[in-house]
Amino acid sequence: MKQFSAILGFELKNYLKNKAFQIITILLVALIGIVLSFPRLSEAFGSGEGGEIITNPNDKPLIALKDDTEAEKNATLAFFRNAMADKRFDLTDKSKDQLIADVDAGVYECAIIITKPTEYDYIVKDVGMYDDTSFSVSGVLLLKYQQDAMLTHGISAEEAGEILNAKIVPTIIQTGKNQFANFFYTYIMIILLYMSILIYGQMVASSVASEKSSRAMELLITSAKPVNLMFGKVLGAGMAGLLQLALILGSAFVFFHLNGAYWEGNEIIRSIFGMPLSVFLYILLFFVLGYFIYSFLYGAVGSLVNRAEEVNTMVMPVTFFCVIAFMIVMFSMASGKLDSALMVICSYVPFTSPMAMFVRITMSTVPAWEIILSVAILLASTVGIAYIAAGIYKMGVLLYGKPPKLGEMIKMLRRSSY
């Protein structure tokens, strides 16, 4: 136990004293602080008297509006200005060719030519990925057409307004999970888990490989058991990672609550910080187990290389498992098929279950026995791989030259006692 404690403390101190580790942590905390404080900062630097932000009406996009129907032109203009207050409209009688030329030259952002009460031409130079102008114009024209039709049939403007502005109020009785509401914090947590496994696993492999290339491993293996060495290295990196994650998430929590009033209308941000405690405990559980199972593999692979430069090539198979798990989970989240046969299978495979089962828990309804079985398999696999990795670590100390094949490695492990 004394050996293990000494190795754990040594590895943890090395990570905490590492300049790159410290700089990355500080930069991430600062970035989160700036992002979550941005509304307050923009108000402070861009406000006038009374704290009200001054906006220039001329900053709004300018749209050319031409009405070729028999409707009253100024009434059409007023209707569009009221319905699309975030745009500026210029009522014009220019020809279609002239409007095309003006849009192409940048005089207008776009042009709308109403040819019939329910038809129009939309002239635009480049249709942006998030361009919803055409969708908005279609909605405005439909609303105007319906109102005009009601007025024609003797319904007053007030009655027409009440009919068109009527709201449907649903009462949702939810017996399971709301995938959309839980999507954003699930997505962020999966990204954090994925990046943590890759970054800290690579750090473990690089540390082991550096010790072997400098012959320091041969001295360590004579004074400590391989199990203590492997567990000390992996747990040291894991504790450093958890501390870094706690600082990042903790700073995000603090900055959000300091600026909570500025995010009242942002449902995405509020849903992220409204994560239930049970979900946070699950991500902590799967983060720890997922990190360990991959880090032990990374450490074992790192002991088989001769030089630190060879680490990236040797860890590719391990990284491949992590990438595959991430891609399966991302595609399933995007499609909403979280209980497909593939996701259910991945929930029990140790290399994919930390991500797959966590996503199913947060965005679907999973029976308790499935969660217990998944965690039990993952825990047993982690312990088993840890001891196998320790055996490979001991074997890798004296292996130089070409790494052994899988069959040879299994035979050597059977003869090994650690």
Side-chain angles (χ1 to χ4, degrees), residues 151-326:
L151 292 173
T152 302
H153 287 82
I155 299 176
S156 68
E158 291 77 12
E159 291 172 332
E162 289 180 6
I163 294 171
L164 293 174
N165 295 319
K167 303 293 183 183
I168 305 299
V169 182
T171 300
I172 300 173
I173 302 173
Q174 184 178 320
T175 60
K177 301 287 179 65
N178 186 329
Q179 289 188 5
F180 181 78
N182 300 350
F183 177 85
F184 299 103
Y185 64 69
T186 302
Y187 181 83
I188 290 174
M189 289 301 165
I190 286 296
I191 292 289
L192 282 175
L193 177 57
Y194 174 70
M195 295 302 296
S196 298
I197 288 172
L198 291 184
I199 292 172
Y200 290 104
Q202 186 82 17
M203 289 170 71
V204 171
S206 298
S207 174
V208 172
S210 297
E211 288 174 358
K212 182 176 180 180
S213 63
S214 64
R215 301 279 180 166
M217 189 190 289
E218 295 178 12
L219 297 175
L220 290 170
I221 207 75
T222 59
S223 58
K225 292 183 178 180
V227 173
N228 290 334
L229 284 168
M230 180 60 76
F231 273 73
K233 285 184 172 299
V234 172
L235 287 172
M239 290 178 67
L242 283 174
L243 179 59
Q244 188 179 52
L245 192 64
L247 287 172
I248 292 169
L249 295 179
S251 64
F253 182 82
V254 170
F255 281 113
F256 171 74
H257 283 280
L258 287 174
N259 301 282
Y262 292 88
W263 297 105
E264 284 292 337
N266 194 310
E267 293 299 324
I268 294 176
I269 297 295
R270 297 201 71 81
S271 72
I272 292 171
F273 287 93
M275 181 195 310
L277 177 61
S278 60
V279 171
F280 182 77
L281 294 177
Y282 274 124
I283 189 57
L284 189 62
L285 172 65
F286 285 109
F287 174 88
V288 170
L289 293 178
Y291 160 78
F292 282 149
I293 196 168
Y294 275 99
S295 291
F296 283 123
L297 287 173
Y298 274 111
V301 171
S303 68
L304 296 176
V305 302
N306 299 318
R307 297 177 301 170
E309 293 80 5
E310 299 173 355
V311 170
N312 291 332
T313 303
M314 285 294 292
V315 299
M316 282 295 290
V318 180
T319 303
F320 183 73
F321 280 121
C322 186
V323 172
I324 287 294
F326 179 74

Side-chain angles (χ1 to χ4, degrees), residues 57-126:
N58 292 326
D59 290 339
K60 297 178 181 179
L62 179 61
I63 299 175
L65 180 64
K66 182 181 181 183
D67 190 352
D68 287 340
T69 66
E70 296 179 357
E72 208 280 311
K73 306 296 186 282
N74 288 325
T76 301
L77 176 63
F79 200 93
F80 270 87
R81 283 177 173 171
N82 289 332
M84 299 175 65
D86 59 330
K87 312 284 186 184
R88 287 185 299 143
F89 289 92
D90 180 22
L91 189 63
T92 180
D93 289 323
K94 293 180 180 180
S95 67
K96 184 175 182 178
D97 291 339
Q98 183 60 51
L99 287 173
I100 291 174
D102 285 349
V103 170
D104 195 53
V107 177
Y108 300 110
E109 182 186 79
C110 60
I112 307 297
I113 302 176
I114 305 173
T115 54
K116 294 180 182 179
T118 57
E119 296 179 15
Y120 69 96
D121 293 333
Y122 177 50
I123 303 170
V124 62
K125 184 174 182 179
D126 297 316

